[in-house]
Amino acid sequence: MFLRTKQTPKKTKYITLYHQDQQLYYGKWDELPLDEKIIIEYSIRFYDDPDPCYIHRGAVRVRLLAELEESYESSKNNGTVSLWLEFLSKCMGIQTVTLAEFTIS
């Protein structure tokens, strides 16, 4: 017989971004709005595709968010969070983010 195991509910990661005291963005981490130029740049880098279809766009999003997450962890460890915030700002195509807060629910 098949045994049913209780699955723990999946935790969702949220991010809040600020420029000084002004909130710029609040939402799910995996729904972070990325700049179209960055999507194209990474599509060319990953797939040599300057006109990505929705499949490549989705794959670029996943890879770029993973890269952002990985670089955030390393920036916390070596004290370069300000450089990560600049990279995040560039990826989103917005003014400089001065603070990022992650929450999980």
Side-chain angles (χ1 to χ4, degrees), residues 7-94:
Q7 293 182 354
T8 58
K10 184 179 176 186
K11 302 282 184 176
T12 303
K13 186 183 288 190
Y14 291 87
I15 187 167
T16 308
L17 303 176
Y18 297 92
H19 175 72
Q20 297 176 3
D21 292 336
Q22 180 183 7
Q23 183 176 321
L24 300 174
Y25 175 78
Y26 170 77
K28 293 179 181 178
W29 169 249
D30 61 352
E31 294 177 2
L32 191 71
L34 300 175
D35 187 50
E36 180 68 12
K37 292 176 187 173
I38 295 297
I39 299 276
I40 301 299
E41 178 184 324
Y42 275 73
S43 178
I44 292 169
R45 183 183 303 175
F46 296 147
Y47 304 108
D48 197 26
D49 185 358
D51 187 24
C53 64
Y54 75 95
I55 295 171
H56 278 175
R57 284 177 180 276
V60 166
R61 279 191 60 76
V62 168
R63 287 181 71 170
L64 186 53
L65 289 173
E67 189 176 309
L68 278 164
E69 226 172 327
E70 184 180 303
S71 66
Y72 174 72
E73 292 302 321
S74 66
S75 72
K76 278 191 335 186
N77 294 335
N78 63 21
T80 59
V81 174
S82 61
L83 293 175
W84 181 81
L85 290 171
E86 287 178 28
F87 179 48
L88 176 64
S89 300
K90 178 186 173 208
C91 289
M92 294 180 68
I94 61 173

